Amino acid sequence: MADVASIDRTAFAEWLLRVGDNALILGHRVSEWCGHAPALEEDIALANTALDLIGQCQLWLGLAAEVEDKGRTADQLAFLRDAGGFRNLLLVERPNGDFGVTLMRQFLFDAFHIELLRALAKSTDSRVAEIAAKAEKEVAYHLERSADLVIRLGDGSAESHERMAKALKSLWVYTGEMFLDDATDQAVAEAGIAPLPSSLKAAWEATVNAVLAEATLENPGQAWQHKGGKQGIHSEHLGFLLAEMQFLQRAYPGASW
Amino acid sequence: MYAQLVKSEGSKTRDEMTPEEIAFQERIDRGERIEPKEWMPEGYRKTLIRQMGQHAHSEIVGQLPEGNWITRAPTLERKAILLAKVQDEAGHGLYLYSAAETLGISRDELLEQLHSGKMKYSSIFNYPTLTWADIGAVGWLVDGAAIMNQVPLQRTSYGPYARAMVRICKEESFHQRQGYDIMMKMAAGTPEQKAMAQDALNRFWYPSLMMFGPSDKDSVHSAQSMAWKIKINTNDELRQKFVDQTVPQAEYLGLTIPDPNLKWNEEKGGHDFSEPDWSEFFAVIAGNGPCNEERLGARVKAWDDGAWFRDGLMAHAEKAASRRHAAE
């Protein structure tokens, strides 16, 4: 295990929030579908995906709380930070849209998530490596499912193709942020805790290109890319998500549930 | 549970039965299981389709009142537990639709009958979940009432239904404990939390009693279903058992059951209690409950909005099949 003191504790905790918040916010979004999916099997699969992500977020935010060492818990991090304190990617806070948008968002993230977790399983911090090894198994299944559905719907009916193409176009501009390196990323990479995000891009592109080709969907290629989530500059959507998610903890401070 | 007012077909005296029907009844009386490909009276098949269909519909509509609080669950652990629970309910729906399909009706046909209002789901899901304590009350009371009915159904005469019920019961009893755990936390919490817990009990008590269906004296379909072992206990027997089980649990929580007539009756060895307002029950069944429109509307919308998704998957499957064919 790396000696936490040997790396900047603030950078490590900050980075853990990024990983944990991605799981929390995407898990929350997916859970919004509960009972409203287009087929019973999809309701089950979505609940399962959301459950995996919430479970992962508990582990990541638990470790973030431990590393930051300010006496906060994972729940306090999840339920008592305001939007500016969240470090998730803009992609995962995008509203669910139709089922095509939800699936495409999942696929674009899963293809990144799996590469990140594979690399983290070799982390010099054994706690990070252990969480990643557990999450990797779950996310491998998420990717298998989301890729399969993107292919089927892209190469499905005229309407499903059109919806998937539209979803891809609207979400593509939020994918670039996944691979941007900043000072926090540099610090954890130098400590051997995590890979540089930019190092994951080639593998992500290979997965995405192969799936989009089979789905007969055109790769949007170079496009303007939004950023800011990792630094706490979010879209308007996150505030509403948090208002809902944090309601009980905010309305009844100090209560135990 | 979740099957109320299931209209039973048939009801013949032994003299009116054909030799086949007599042999079938004798198998049931011996405690044998009926399996899908075996001969069964048309009335038995139709009644089972109604009951299992209603049960399956209740599981999937039942996702909605609890799903209502998934995005507002107060801790990460509570959120995960609730998600797992609602996922189980969807799974129960899936087993039950599959079991019903062995009787010669498709899941799509059953769903169409739900959406058109021809088939019902349990009245309980037409009540709103207004606070987090309601999620505790649903687990404690609603799942508790469901278990009362479902445990005996593990011995029901139709094999696929009985087997589905074994697995469902295991999960339901876990759900009930989780619900009770929420109630314990709330009842021992701040004054506001305790008030929420009491309020949830006040609102869910009578609707939970209604889950067993009308009193035996008014329940016209029970006799035939009991002869067929589709129904094992009478509505009143189960309701009494539920009340007797729940009273000490409420006492332990320090909550008051909203019934001034509730008291122990030494002579009968059970509690006396007030009947729910049956006119309310029939109104809810007829579509006039507080959430009927939202619940059914949400299911219909999910189905309609998902048409392109299901059609897209079918179109892909057809393309893939014709490509395979062309390659051969």
Side-chain angles (χ1 to χ4, degrees), chain A residues 35 38 41 75 244 249 257, chain B residues 71 74 76 78 107 299 310:
Chain A
E41 286 81 352
D75 276 335
E244 187 172 338
Q249 292 278 359
W257 304 90
Chain B
T71 53
L76 295 170
R78 291 289 182 202
R107 196 203 309 179
R299 290 307 312 170
R310 298 187 303 274

Side-chain angles (χ1 to χ4, degrees), chain A residues 25 58 81-82 86 95 99-100 102 141 143 155 168 181 206 208 220 223 230:
Chain A
I25 301 302
Q58 282 179 284
R81 278 178 296 157
D82 204 344
F86 275 77
F99 205 65
T102 292
Y141 170 71
L143 177 61
D155 185 24
L168 176 62
D181 304 334
V208 169
K230 280 167 68 170

